[in-house]
Amino acid sequence: RHDVKFDVKGARFEHPDLPDPVTNIAATVRSVDGRVRVEDATAELGASRLRISLETRADAPAGPAGGGALTRIEDRLQKIDVSVTGVTLDDALFARLPAEAQKRRRIFNPTGQVDASYKFAREGAGWKRELELRPQQARALYEKFRYPVSDVRGVIKHTVTHAGAEVTTVDLVGSAAGQFVTVKGRVEGDGPDPGLHLRIVGDNVPLDDALYAAMPPRYAAVVRELRATGRGNFVVEVTQQAGVNLAELEFRITVKGGKLNYVAFPYPLEQLSGQLVARTTVPTPNEMATNQATVVYYADGKTELGRIGSYNRTEVPLTKIPLTTQRAVLAAEDKNFYSNSGFSIQGIARAFWDN
């Protein structure tokens, strides 16, 4: 048995995964019967300030742990609490972060500085890991709504538990065109296509090209033709089902006391009030299978002028499909379609054996 306590002052630590050396390390370390405690240690990492407290496990694994670098560290800890202030979001930082962090950078394009904290604790037979980011005068440009937002503050919190659940909550507020813009939402799961719901709200913002350019190009072109001026409120809803690599977007712009001079009908309107709604939805498989092209004919009703739509498909009765095509499709599914009784003992036995 032992109880050892010592103080560290002015120490330095370097590692290839760190953007700068850790300097001015000050800590009080105590080891009691092999269990180490560090309380309120401080250090500097470039221009950032660090504060660390930790406690190792009494039953830590003796050999090398599996998983990534973070998992190997956590396998030997009972708890840890790390906070960093004044982290600069630049290329040097992201070059040393995991691929998932670099993907998030491409999505939100953050710049400026953040304060960050990392906590890990064992709770009974399980554990929980929490990562918080608190922007400090940061800027962001979300890829699905490219409306520049500055002076971003608030919190982004990512939580993982031993049960495998991963949840990220977003609660941010920033400034655009001198007005407040809020971003709130939730991301569930990890993987390339997590479940997502974000709500972006701006009040009393100018109806200008910066707002229109943030919308998908096909919507921006239509809105620009309205030649609306004034101020309004906008709401953007972004929803994505887990495992689906396609997001549903809805844009709502509410105008009060604005002006409009539509290109196709250039009659100026003033004191305009109303709402513009644009949305993209994820079609179901059945919708995609039955979508048809819109056919435009000349005045004679017979001569085709052109087709409009994403799918060049037209439904026809079965009698208009050549017999050879019908038989080819059936043969691909069941070569004995015309001869079997609809009940195959051999097929059932094969399925029972395979499954």
Side-chain angles (χ1 to χ4, degrees):
R1 299 175 63 84
H2 70 271
D3 187 341
V4 179
K5 179 179 178 180
F6 60 92
D7 294 327
V8 177
K9 292 183 179 180
R12 178 185 176 95
F13 174 76
E14 295 186 25
H15 193 278
D17 289 337
L18 295 174
D20 296 294
V22 181
T23 60
N24 292 326
I25 301 173
T28 298
V29 182
R30 184 176 183 183
S31 176
V32 180
D33 298 333
R35 192 164 184 169
V36 178
R37 291 186 179 90
V38 178
E39 296 185 358
D40 206 21
T42 60
E44 296 178 3
L45 178 64
S48 304
R49 298 281 300 177
L50 286 77
R51 190 174 295 275
I52 304 172
S53 297
L54 65 84
E55 181 179 335
T56 62
R57 293 172 62 183
D59 56 346
L70 184 59
T71 301
R72 291 195 296 271
I73 294 172
E74 292 172 343
D75 277 343
R76 289 165 170 76
L77 294 175
Q78 181 66 27
K79 61 182 180 180
I80 185 172
D81 188 339
V82 181
S83 62
V84 189
T85 59
V87 179
T88 301
L89 302 173
D90 56 15
D91 293 340
L93 172 66
F94 282 99
R96 290 172 170 82
L97 294 180
E100 187 63 26
Q102 297 180 30
K103 178 183 176 181
R104 294 289 186 265
R105 184 192 192 189
R106 292 191 295 270
I107 294 174
F108 293 101
N109 298 288
T111 58
Q113 290 189 340
V114 298
D115 294 344
S117 67
Y118 155 69
K119 296 180 181 180
F120 173 85
R122 298 189 179 278
E123 303 171 342
W127 55 264
K128 181 167 69 172
R129 178 193 303 148
E130 294 178 321
L131 174 65
E132 283 192 9
L133 298 176
R134 295 183 176 274
Q136 304 295 326
Q137 297 181 334
R139 295 171 295 280
L141 189 67
Y142 181 39
E143 68 170 2
K144 295 187 183 302
F145 184 66
R146 303 184 67 83
Y147 194 59
V149 181
S150 59
D151 195 21
V152 179
R153 53 197 183 278
V155 61
I156 301 173
K157 184 174 183 178
H158 180 70
T159 304
V160 188
T161 68
H162 62 281
E166 293 201 23
V167 177
T168 302
T169 56
V170 180
D171 189 357
L172 302 173
V173 61
S175 174
Q179 303 298 321
F180 287 122
V181 174
T182 61
V183 182
K184 299 179 182 292
R186 184 179 178 93
V187 182
E188 297 183 345
D190 52 356
D193 301 307
L196 169 67
H197 180 75
L198 285 179
R199 179 182 174 90
I200 308 170
V201 178
D203 292 333
N204 197 36
V205 299
L207 304 178
D208 57 13
D209 199 65
L211 178 60
Y212 305 149
M215 304 175 71
R218 58 175 174 171
Y219 297 144
V222 173
V223 174
R224 285 190 178 102
E225 289 186 351
L226 297 176
R227 295 190 294 194
T229 58
R231 287 183 173 269
N233 306 332
F234 71 78
V235 177
V236 180
E237 303 268 5
V238 184
T239 305
Q240 177 174 291
Q241 300 299 319
V244 178
N245 186 21
L246 190 61
E248 296 185 356
L249 292 90
E250 179 173 294
F251 303 86
R252 301 194 299 272
I253 302 176
T254 302
V255 182
K256 292 183 178 180
K259 297 180 180 181
L260 184 145
N261 192 355
Y262 184 33
V263 170
F265 184 69
Y267 187 80
L269 301 176
E270 297 185 359
Q271 296 302 313
L272 180 70
S273 297
Q275 186 176 73
L276 171 68
V277 179
R279 72 171 57 91
T280 63
T281 58
V282 178
T284 65
N286 286 339
E287 289 173 335
M288 297 178 67
T290 58
N291 279 343
Q292 301 183 63
T294 299
V295 183
V296 181
Y297 294 95
Y298 283 96
D300 59 11
K302 298 179 180 179
T303 306
E304 185 176 317
L305 175 63
R307 291 172 178 255
I308 304 171
S310 303
Y311 301 90
N312 187 16
R313 181 190 296 123
T314 303
E315 288 187 1
V316 297
L318 185 62
T319 55
K320 289 194 175 184
I321 299 177
L323 188 59
T324 52
T325 303
Q326 297 181 39
R327 289 177 174 173
V329 173
L330 291 172
E333 179 66 25
D334 182 2
K335 64 180 179 180
N336 299 318
F337 178 81
Y338 287 105
S339 60
N340 69 41
S341 62
F343 185 81
S344 172
I345 297 296
Q346 181 181 4
I348 294 173
R350 182 172 61 250
F352 178 80
W353 177 262
D354 292 342
N355 299 321

